[in-house]
Coordinates of all heavy atoms in Angstrom, one line a residue:
E17 N 2.2 10.7 -8.8 CA 1.2 10.8 -7.8 C 0.0 9.8 -8.1 O -0.5 9.6 -9.2 CB 0.7 12.3 -7.6 CG -0.4 12.3 -6.6 CD -0.8 13.9 -6.3 OE1 0.2 14.7 -6.2 OE2 -2.0 14.1 -6.2
F18 N -0.5 9.3 -7.0 CA -1.8 8.5 -7.0 C -2.5 8.8 -5.7 O -2.1 9.5 -4.8 CB -1.5 7.0 -7.2 CG -0.7 6.4 -6.1 CD1 -1.2 5.7 -5.1 CD2 0.8 6.5 -6.1 CE1 -0.5 5.2 -4.0 CE2 1.5 6.0 -5.2 CZ 0.9 5.2 -4.1
T19 N -3.7 8.2 -5.6 CA -4.5 8.5 -4.4 C -4.7 7.2 -3.7 O -5.0 6.1 -4.3 CB -5.9 9.1 -4.8 OG1 -5.6 10.3 -5.5 CG2 -6.7 9.4 -3.6
V20 N -4.7 7.2 -2.3 CA -5.2 6.1 -1.6 C -6.6 6.4 -0.9 O -6.6 7.5 -0.3 CB -4.2 5.5 -0.5 CG1 -3.1 4.8 -1.1 CG2 -3.6 6.6 0.4
S21 N -7.5 5.6 -1.0 CA -8.7 5.8 -0.4 C -8.8 4.7 0.7 O -8.7 3.5 0.5 CB -9.9 5.6 -1.4 OG -11.1 5.5 -0.8
L22 N -9.1 5.1 2.0 CA -9.1 4.3 3.1 C -10.6 3.9 3.4 O -11.3 4.7 4.0 CB -8.4 4.9 4.4 CG -7.1 5.5 4.1 CD1 -6.5 6.0 5.3 CD2 -6.2 4.5 3.5
A23 N -11.0 2.7 3.0 CA -12.4 2.4 3.0 C -13.0 2.5 4.3 O -14.2 2.9 4.4 CB -12.6 1.0 2.4
R24 N -12.3 2.0 5.4 CA -13.0 2.0 6.8 C -13.0 3.3 7.4 O -13.8 3.6 8.3 CB -12.1 1.0 7.7 CG -12.3 -0.5 7.3 CD -11.8 -1.3 8.5 NE -10.8 -2.1 7.9 CZ -9.8 -2.7 8.8 NH1 -9.9 -2.5 10.0 NH2 -8.9 -3.5 8.3
R25 N -12.2 4.2 7.0 CA -12.1 5.5 7.5 C -12.9 6.6 6.7 O -13.1 7.7 7.1 CB -10.7 6.0 7.7 CG -10.0 5.3 8.8 CD -8.6 5.7 8.8 NE -7.9 5.2 10.0 CZ -7.3 4.0 10.2 NH1 -7.4 3.2 9.2 NH2 -6.7 3.7 11.2
G26 N -13.3 6.2 5.4 CA -13.9 7.2 4.5 C -13.0 8.3 4.2 O -13.5 9.5 4.1
L27 N -11.7 8.1 4.0 CA -10.7 9.2 3.8 C -9.9 8.9 2.5 O -9.5 7.8 2.3 CB -9.8 9.1 5.0 CG -8.6 10.1 5.0 CD1 -9.1 11.5 5.3 CD2 -7.7 9.7 6.2
S28 N -9.7 9.9 1.7 CA -8.8 9.8 0.5 C -7.7 10.7 0.6 O -7.9 11.9 0.9 CB -9.7 10.1 -0.7 OG -10.5 9.0 -1.1
V29 N -6.5 10.2 0.4 CA -5.3 11.1 0.5 C -4.4 10.9 -0.7 O -4.2 9.7 -1.2 CB -4.5 10.9 1.8 CG1 -5.1 11.7 2.9 CG2 -4.3 9.5 2.1
P30 N -3.8 12.0 -1.4 CA -2.9 11.8 -2.4 C -1.5 11.4 -1.9 O -1.0 11.8 -0.8 CB -2.8 13.3 -3.0 CG -3.3 14.2 -1.9 CD -4.1 13.4 -0.9
V31 N -0.9 10.5 -2.6 CA 0.5 10.1 -2.3 C 1.4 10.7 -3.4 O 1.5 10.2 -4.5 CB 0.5 8.5 -2.4 CG1 2.0 8.1 -1.9 CG2 -0.5 7.9 -1.5
P32 N 2.2 11.6 -2.9 CA 3.1 12.2 -3.9 C 4.2 11.3 -4.4 O 4.4 10.3 -3.8 CB 3.8 13.4 -3.2 CG 3.4 13.4 -1.7 CD 2.4 12.2 -1.6
A33 N 4.9 11.6 -5.5 CA 5.9 10.7 -6.2 C 6.9 10.4 -5.2 O 7.5 9.2 -5.2 CB 6.4 11.4 -7.4
G34 N 7.4 11.3 -4.3 CA 8.5 11.1 -3.4 C 8.2 10.5 -2.2 O 9.1 10.3 -1.3
A35 N 6.9 10.1 -1.9 CA 6.5 9.5 -0.6 C 5.9 8.1 -0.7 O 5.3 7.8 -1.8 CB 5.6 10.5 0.1
T36 N 6.0 7.3 0.4 CA 5.4 6.0 0.3 C 3.9 6.1 0.9 O 3.6 7.2 1.5 CB 6.2 5.0 1.2 OG1 6.1 5.5 2.5 CG2 7.6 4.9 0.7
I37 N 3.2 5.0 0.7 CA 1.8 5.1 1.2 C 2.0 5.2 2.8 O 1.3 5.8 3.5 CB 1.1 3.8 0.9 CG1 0.8 3.8 -0.7 CG2 -0.2 3.7 1.6 CD1 0.1 2.5 -1.1
L38 N 3.0 4.4 3.3 CA 3.1 4.3 4.8 C 3.4 5.8 5.3 O 2.8 6.3 6.2 CB 4.3 3.4 5.0 CG 4.7 3.4 6.6 CD1 3.6 3.0 7.4 CD2 5.9 2.5 6.8
E39 N 4.4 6.5 4.6 CA 4.7 7.9 5.1 C 3.5 8.8 5.0 O 3.2 9.6 5.9 CB 5.8 8.4 4.2 CG 7.1 7.8 4.5 CD 8.1 8.1 3.3 OE1 7.8 8.6 2.3 OE2 9.3 7.8 3.6
T40 N 2.7 8.6 3.9 CA 1.4 9.4 3.7 C 0.5 9.2 4.8 O -0.2 10.1 5.4 CB 0.9 9.2 2.3 OG1 1.9 9.5 1.4 CG2 -0.4 10.0 2.1
L41 N 0.3 7.9 5.2 CA -0.7 7.6 6.3 C -0.2 8.1 7.5 O -1.0 8.6 8.4 CB -0.8 6.1 6.4 CG -1.5 5.3 5.2 CD1 -1.6 3.9 5.4 CD2 -2.8 6.0 4.8
R42 N 1.1 8.1 7.9 CA 1.6 8.6 9.1 C 1.4 10.1 9.2 O 1.1 10.6 10.2 CB 3.1 8.3 9.2 CG 3.4 6.9 9.6 CD 4.9 6.7 9.5 NE 5.2 5.4 10.2 CZ 6.3 4.7 9.9 NH1 7.2 5.2 9.1 NH2 6.6 3.6 10.5
G43 N 1.4 10.7 8.0 CA 1.1 12.2 7.9 C -0.3 12.4 8.3 O -0.6 13.6 8.7
E44 N -1.2 11.4 8.2 CA -2.6 11.6 8.6 C -2.8 11.1 10.1 O -4.0 11.0 10.5 CB -3.4 10.8 7.7 CG -3.4 11.3 6.2 CD -4.0 12.6 5.9 OE1 -5.0 12.9 6.7 OE2 -3.4 13.4 5.2
G45 N -1.7 10.8 10.7 CA -1.9 10.3 12.0 C -2.2 8.9 12.3 O -2.7 8.4 13.3
I46 N -2.1 8.2 11.1 CA -2.4 6.7 11.1 C -1.1 6.0 11.2 O -0.2 6.2 10.5 CB -3.2 6.3 9.8 CG1 -4.5 7.1 9.8 CG2 -3.4 4.8 9.8 CD1 -5.1 7.0 8.4
E47 N -1.0 4.9 12.2 CA 0.2 4.2 12.3 C 0.0 2.7 12.1 O -0.3 2.0 13.0 CB 0.7 4.3 13.8 CG 1.2 5.7 14.1 CD 2.6 6.1 13.5 OE1 3.3 5.1 13.1 OE2 2.9 7.3 13.4
P48 N 0.1 2.2 10.8 CA -0.1 0.8 10.5 C 1.0 0.0 11.2 O 2.1 0.6 11.5 CB 0.0 0.8 9.0 CG 0.0 2.2 8.5 CD 0.5 3.1 9.7
D49 N 0.8 -1.3 11.3 CA 1.9 -2.2 11.8 C 2.9 -2.3 10.7 O 2.6 -2.6 9.6 CB 1.2 -3.6 12.0 CG 0.3 -3.7 13.2 OD1 0.5 -2.8 14.1 OD2 -0.4 -4.6 13.4
V50 N 4.1 -2.1 11.2 CA 5.2 -2.2 10.2 C 6.5 -2.7 10.9 O 6.5 -2.7 12.2 CB 5.6 -0.8 9.6 CG1 4.6 -0.3 8.7 CG2 6.1 0.2 10.7
S51 N 7.4 -3.2 10.2 CA 8.7 -3.7 10.8 C 9.9 -3.3 10.0 O 10.5 -2.3 10.3 CB 8.7 -5.2 11.0 OG 9.8 -5.6 11.5
C52 N 10.0 -3.9 8.8 CA 11.3 -3.7 8.0 C 11.3 -2.4 7.2 O 12.3 -1.8 7.0 CB 11.5 -4.9 7.1 SG 10.4 -5.0 5.7
E53 N 10.0 -2.0 6.9 CA 9.9 -0.8 5.9 C 10.6 -0.9 4.7 O 11.0 0.1 4.1 CB 10.1 0.5 6.7 CG 9.3 0.6 7.9 CD 9.3 2.0 8.6 OE1 9.6 3.0 7.9 OE2 8.9 2.1 9.8
Q54 N 11.0 -2.2 4.2 CA 11.7 -2.4 3.0 C 11.0 -3.3 2.1 O 11.7 -3.8 1.1 CB 13.2 -2.8 3.3 CG 13.9 -1.6 4.0 CD 15.4 -2.1 4.4 OE1 15.9 -3.0 3.8 NE2 15.9 -1.4 5.4
G55 N 9.9 -3.8 2.3 CA 9.2 -4.7 1.5 C 9.6 -6.1 1.6 O 9.5 -6.9 0.7
V56 N 10.2 -6.5 2.8 CA 10.8 -7.8 2.9 C 10.0 -8.7 3.9 O 9.9 -9.8 3.7 CB 12.3 -7.6 3.4 CG1 12.9 -9.0 3.7 CG2 13.1 -6.9 2.4
C57 N 9.6 -8.1 5.0 CA 9.1 -9.0 6.1 C 7.6 -9.3 6.0 O 7.2 -10.3 6.6 CB 9.3 -8.3 7.5 SG 8.2 -6.8 7.8
G58 N 6.7 -8.5 5.4 CA 5.3 -8.8 5.2 C 4.5 -8.2 6.3 O 3.2 -8.5 6.3
T59 N 5.0 -7.6 7.3 CA 4.3 -7.1 8.4 C 3.1 -6.2 7.9 O 2.0 -6.1 8.5 CB 5.2 -6.4 9.5 OG1 6.2 -7.3 9.8 CG2 4.4 -5.9 10.7
C60 N 3.4 -5.3 7.0 CA 2.5 -4.2 6.6 C 1.5 -4.6 5.5 O 0.9 -3.8 4.8 CB 3.2 -2.9 6.1 SG 4.2 -3.2 4.6
L61 N 1.4 -6.0 5.3 CA 0.4 -6.5 4.3 C -0.9 -6.0 4.5 O -1.5 -6.0 5.6 CB 0.5 -8.1 4.4 CG -0.2 -8.8 3.3 CD1 0.5 -8.6 1.9 CD2 -0.2 -10.3 3.6
T62 N -1.4 -5.4 3.4 CA -2.8 -4.7 3.5 C -3.6 -5.2 2.3 O -3.2 -5.4 1.2 CB -2.6 -3.2 3.4 OG1 -1.8 -2.8 4.5 CG2 -3.9 -2.4 3.3
T63 N -4.9 -5.4 2.7 CA -5.9 -5.9 1.7 C -6.3 -4.7 0.7 O -6.6 -3.6 1.2 CB -7.2 -6.5 2.4 OG1 -6.8 -7.5 3.1 CG2 -8.3 -6.8 1.3
V64 N -6.2 -5.0 -0.5 CA -6.6 -4.0 -1.6 C -8.0 -4.3 -2.1 O -8.2 -5.3 -2.7 CB -5.5 -3.9 -2.7 CG1 -5.9 -2.9 -3.8 CG2 -4.2 -3.7 -2.2
L65 N -8.9 -3.3 -1.9 CA -10.3 -3.7 -2.4 C -10.5 -3.3 -3.9 O -11.4 -4.0 -4.5 CB -11.3 -2.9 -1.5 CG -11.2 -3.3 0.0 CD1 -12.1 -2.2 0.8 CD2 -11.6 -4.6 0.3
E66 N -9.7 -2.3 -4.3 CA -9.9 -1.9 -5.6 C -8.6 -1.2 -6.1 O -8.0 -0.6 -5.3 CB -11.1 -0.9 -5.8 CG -12.3 -1.3 -6.5 CD -13.3 -0.2 -6.5 OE1 -13.1 0.8 -7.1 OE2 -14.3 -0.4 -5.7
G67 N -8.3 -1.2 -7.5 CA -7.2 -0.4 -8.0 C -6.1 -1.2 -8.4 O -6.0 -2.4 -8.2
Q68 N -5.2 -0.6 -9.2 CA -4.0 -1.2 -9.8 C -2.8 -1.0 -9.0 O -2.3 0.1 -8.7 CB -3.8 -0.7 -11.2 CG -4.9 -1.0 -12.2 CD -4.7 -0.2 -13.5 OE1 -5.0 1.0 -13.6 NE2 -4.1 -0.9 -14.5
I69 N -2.2 -2.0 -8.6 CA -1.0 -2.0 -7.7 C 0.4 -2.1 -8.5 O 0.5 -2.8 -9.4 CB -1.0 -3.2 -6.7 CG1 -2.3 -3.2 -6.0 CG2 0.2 -3.0 -5.7 CD1 -2.5 -4.6 -5.3
D70 N 1.2 -1.2 -8.1 CA 2.6 -1.3 -8.6 C 3.4 -1.9 -7.5 O 4.0 -1.2 -6.6 CB 3.1 0.2 -8.9 CG 4.6 0.2 -9.4 OD1 5.1 -0.8 -9.5 OD2 5.1 1.3 -9.5
H71 N 3.6 -3.2 -7.6 CA 4.2 -3.9 -6.5 C 5.8 -3.8 -6.6 O 6.4 -3.9 -7.6 CB 4.0 -5.5 -6.7 CG 2.6 -5.9 -6.4 ND1 2.1 -6.0 -5.1 CD2 1.6 -6.2 -7.2 CE1 0.9 -6.4 -5.1 NE2 0.5 -6.6 -6.4
R72 N 6.3 -3.4 -5.4 CA 7.7 -3.2 -5.3 C 8.4 -4.0 -4.2 O 9.5 -3.7 -3.7 CB 8.0 -1.8 -5.2 CG 7.5 -0.9 -6.3 CD 8.0 0.4 -6.4 NE 7.5 1.2 -7.5 CZ 7.8 2.4 -7.8 NH1 8.7 3.1 -7.1 NH2 7.2 3.1 -8.9
D73 N 7.7 -5.0 -3.6 CA 8.2 -5.8 -2.5 C 9.0 -6.9 -2.9 O 8.9 -7.4 -4.1 CB 7.0 -6.2 -1.7 CG 6.1 -7.2 -2.3 OD1 5.2 -6.7 -3.1 OD2 6.2 -8.3 -2.2
Y74 N 9.5 -7.6 -1.9 CA 10.3 -8.9 -2.1 C 9.6 -10.0 -1.3 O 10.2 -11.0 -1.1 CB 11.7 -8.7 -1.7 CG 12.4 -7.6 -2.3 CD1 12.5 -6.3 -1.8 CD2 13.0 -7.7 -3.6 CE1 13.2 -5.3 -2.5 CE2 13.6 -6.7 -4.2 CZ 13.6 -5.4 -3.7 OH 14.3 -4.5 -4.4
F75 N 8.4 -9.8 -0.9 CA 7.8 -10.7 0.1 C 6.8 -11.6 -0.7 O 6.7 -12.8 -0.5 CB 7.1 -9.9 1.2 CG 6.3 -10.8 2.2 CD1 7.0 -11.5 3.2 CD2 5.0 -10.9 2.1 CE1 6.4 -12.3 4.0 CE2 4.2 -11.7 3.0 CZ 4.9 -12.4 4.0
L76 N 5.9 -11.0 -1.3 CA 4.8 -11.7 -2.1 C 5.3 -12.4 -3.3 O 6.3 -12.0 -4.0 CB 3.7 -10.7 -2.5 CG 2.9 -10.0 -1.5 CD1 2.0 -8.9 -2.0 CD2 2.1 -10.9 -0.7
S77 N 4.6 -13.5 -3.7 CA 5.0 -14.3 -4.8 C 4.4 -13.6 -6.1 O 3.6 -12.7 -6.1 CB 4.4 -15.7 -4.8 OG 3.0 -15.6 -4.9
A78 N 5.0 -14.0 -7.2 CA 4.5 -13.6 -8.5 C 3.0 -13.7 -8.7 O 2.2 -12.9 -9.2 CB 5.3 -14.1 -9.6
H79 N 2.6 -14.9 -8.1 CA 1.3 -15.2 -8.1 C 0.3 -14.3 -7.4 O -0.7 -13.8 -7.8 CB 1.0 -16.7 -7.6 CG -0.4 -17.2 -7.7 ND1 -1.3 -17.1 -6.6 CD2 -1.1 -17.8 -8.6 CE1 -2.4 -17.6 -6.8 NE2 -2.4 -18.0 -8.1
D80 N 0.9 -13.9 -6.2 CA 0.2 -12.9 -5.3 C 0.2 -11.6 -6.1 O -0.9 -10.8 -5.9 CB 0.9 -12.7 -4.0 CG 0.7 -14.0 -3.1 OD1 -0.1 -14.7 -3.2 OD2 1.7 -14.1 -2.2
H81 N 1.3 -11.2 -6.7 CA 1.4 -9.9 -7.4 C 0.3 -9.9 -8.4 O -0.5 -8.9 -8.6 CB 2.8 -9.7 -8.0 CG 3.7 -9.3 -7.0 ND1 5.0 -9.2 -7.3 CD2 3.7 -9.0 -5.7 CE1 5.8 -8.8 -6.3 NE2 4.9 -8.7 -5.2
K82 N 0.1 -11.0 -9.1 CA -0.9 -11.0 -10.2 C -2.4 -10.9 -9.7 O -3.2 -10.3 -10.2 CB -0.7 -12.4 -10.9 CG -0.9 -12.2 -12.5 CD -0.6 -13.5 -13.2 CE -0.4 -13.2 -14.6 NZ 0.2 -14.4 -15.2
A83 N -2.5 -11.6 -8.5 CA -3.9 -11.6 -7.9 C -4.3 -10.2 -7.6 O -5.6 -9.8 -7.7 CB -3.9 -12.4 -6.7
G84 N -3.5 -9.3 -7.1 CA -3.8 -7.9 -7.0 C -4.6 -7.5 -5.9 O -5.3 -6.5 -5.9
D85 N -4.7 -8.4 -4.8 CA -5.7 -8.1 -3.7 C -5.0 -7.8 -2.4 O -5.7 -7.6 -1.4 CB -6.8 -9.1 -3.6 CG -6.1 -10.6 -3.3 OD1 -4.9 -10.7 -3.3 OD2 -6.9 -11.6 -3.2
R86 N -3.7 -7.8 -2.4 CA -2.9 -7.5 -1.2 C -1.6 -6.8 -1.6 O -1.1 -7.0 -2.7 CB -2.5 -8.7 -0.4 CG -3.8 -9.5 0.2 CD -3.3 -10.7 1.0 NE -2.7 -11.6 0.1 CZ -1.9 -12.7 0.6 NH1 -1.9 -12.9 1.9 NH2 -1.4 -13.5 -0.3
M87 N -1.1 -5.9 -0.7 CA 0.1 -5.2 -1.1 C 0.9 -4.8 0.2 O 0.2 -4.8 1.4 CB -0.2 -3.9 -1.8 CG -0.8 -2.8 -1.0 SD -1.4 -1.3 -1.9 CE 0.2 -0.8 -2.6
L88 N 2.1 -4.5 0.0 CA 3.0 -4.1 1.1 C 3.1 -2.6 1.0 O 3.8 -2.1 0.1 CB 4.4 -4.7 1.1 CG 4.6 -6.2 1.4 CD1 4.0 -6.4 2.8 CD2 3.8 -7.2 0.5
I89 N 2.5 -1.9 2.0 CA 2.3 -0.5 1.8 C 3.6 0.3 2.2 O 3.6 1.6 2.0 CB 1.1 0.1 2.7 CG1 1.3 -0.2 4.2 CG2 -0.2 -0.4 2.1 CD1 0.3 0.5 5.0
C90 N 4.6 -0.3 2.7 CA 5.8 0.4 2.9 C 6.6 0.7 1.6 O 7.5 1.6 1.7 CB 6.7 -0.4 4.0 SG 7.4 -1.9 3.4
V91 N 6.4 -0.1 0.6 CA 7.2 0.1 -0.6 C 6.3 0.3 -1.9 O 6.7 0.9 -2.8 CB 8.3 -1.0 -0.8 CG1 9.4 -0.7 0.3 CG2 7.7 -2.3 -0.8
S92 N 5.2 -0.6 -1.9 CA 4.4 -0.7 -3.2 C 3.6 0.6 -3.3 O 3.3 1.2 -2.4 CB 3.7 -2.0 -3.2 OG 4.6 -3.1 -3.2
R93 N 3.1 0.7 -4.6 CA 2.4 2.0 -4.9 C 1.2 1.7 -5.8 O 1.0 0.5 -6.2 CB 3.3 2.9 -5.7 CG 4.8 3.0 -5.0 CD 5.5 4.1 -5.7 NE 5.0 5.4 -5.7 CZ 5.1 6.2 -4.8 NH1 5.7 5.9 -3.6 NH2 4.5 7.4 -4.7
G94 N 0.4 2.8 -6.1 CA -0.6 2.7 -7.0 C 0.0 3.2 -8.4 O 0.9 3.8 -8.4
K95 N -0.7 2.8 -9.4 CA -0.3 3.3 -10.8 C -0.5 4.8 -10.8 O -1.6 5.3 -10.2 CB -1.0 2.6 -12.0 CG -0.9 1.0 -11.9 CD 0.3 0.6 -12.6 CE 0.4 -0.9 -12.7 NZ 1.7 -1.5 -13.0
P96 N 0.4 5.6 -11.4 CA 0.2 7.0 -11.4 C -1.2 7.4 -11.9 O -1.7 6.8 -12.9 CB 1.3 7.5 -12.3 CG 2.4 6.5 -12.2 CD 1.6 5.2 -12.1
G97 N -1.9 8.4 -11.3 CA -3.1 8.9 -11.7 C -4.3 8.1 -11.3 O -5.4 8.4 -11.7
T98 N -4.1 7.0 -10.6 CA -5.2 6.1 -10.2 C -5.5 6.1 -8.7 O -4.7 6.8 -8.0 CB -4.9 4.6 -10.6 OG1 -3.9 4.1 -9.8 CG2 -4.5 4.5 -12.1
T99 N -6.5 5.5 -8.3 CA -6.9 5.4 -6.9 C -6.8 4.0 -6.4 O -7.3 3.1 -7.1 CB -8.2 6.0 -6.7 OG1 -8.2 7.3 -7.0 CG2 -8.6 5.7 -5.2
L100 N -6.2 3.7 -5.3 CA -6.1 2.4 -4.6 C -7.1 2.5 -3.4 O -7.0 3.4 -2.6 CB -4.8 2.1 -4.1 CG -3.7 1.6 -5.0 CD1 -2.4 1.3 -4.1 CD2 -4.1 0.3 -5.6
V101 N -8.0 1.5 -3.4 CA -8.9 1.5 -2.3 C -8.4 0.4 -1.3 O -8.3 -0.7 -1.7 CB -10.3 1.2 -2.7 CG1 -11.3 1.2 -1.5 CG2 -10.8 2.2 -3.7
L102 N -8.0 0.8 -0.2 CA -7.4 -0.1 0.9 C -8.4 -0.4 2.0 O -9.2 0.4 2.4 CB -6.1 0.6 1.5 CG -5.1 0.9 0.5 CD1 -3.9 1.5 1.3 CD2 -4.5 -0.2 -0.3
D103 N -8.3 -1.6 2.5 CA -9.2 -2.0 3.7 C -8.5 -1.5 5.0 O -8.1 -2.3 5.8 CB -9.3 -3.5 3.7 CG -10.3 -4.0 4.7 OD1 -11.2 -3.2 5.1 OD2 -10.2 -5.2 5.1
L104 N -8.5 -0.1 5.1 CA -7.9 0.4 6.3 C -8.8 1.5 6.8 O -9.6 2.1 6.1 CB -6.6 1.1 6.0 CG -5.3 0.2 5.8 CD1 -4.2 1.0 5.3 CD2 -5.0 -0.5 7.0
Ligands
LIG218 FE1 8.2 -5.2 6.2 FE2 6.4 -3.6 4.9 S1 7.1 -3.3 6.9 S2 7.2 -5.5 4.2

């Protein structure tokens, strides 16, 4: 489990091990733009303001992964026990 903090909404929600960030946001009534939901298309690309990303997509380059300032929220996660601050 990790936590996502939505900077624009002032909301923090825990993301359980079995759920994606996308599913968790939907549970809060938030509907981000998505398409493939498999980490392939790039539609759900989200700016990360703070935190350590566990990248699991096939869209961003290795260079992008290293930069750590954007993520695909349909598949990628935060490191367990940490908080990701998203520009949402
Ligand atoms: Fe396609 Fe997330 S919806 S990469």
Side-chain angles (χ1 to χ4, degrees):
E17 173 175 316
F18 59 97
T19 300
V20 283
S21 173
L22 309 181
R24 287 192 242 159
R25 291 173 167 85
L27 179 70
S28 285
V29 278
V31 182
T36 64
I37 294 175
L38 176 60
E39 289 163 348
T40 302
L41 295 183
R42 283 176 172 157
E44 297 293 323
I46 300 164
E47 291 289 341
D49 285 341
V50 294
S51 179
C52 72
E53 301 192 23
Q54 294 178 23
V56 175
C57 72
T59 305
C60 68
L61 190 64
T62 299
T63 298
V64 179
L65 302 173
E66 253 177 66
Q68 296 173 281
I69 308 161
D70 177 4
H71 289 287
R72 299 190 181 186
D73 67 277
Y74 304 97
F75 178 80
L76 294 172
S77 67
H79 182 266
D80 290 335
H81 283 173
K82 216 172 199 174
D85 56 0
R86 294 180 300 166
M87 71 185 297
L88 283 307
I89 58 169
C90 64
V91 291
S92 296
R93 312 185 61 78
K95 304 278 186 196
T98 68
T99 296
L100 277 182
V101 183
L102 304 180
D103 186 21
L104 285 176

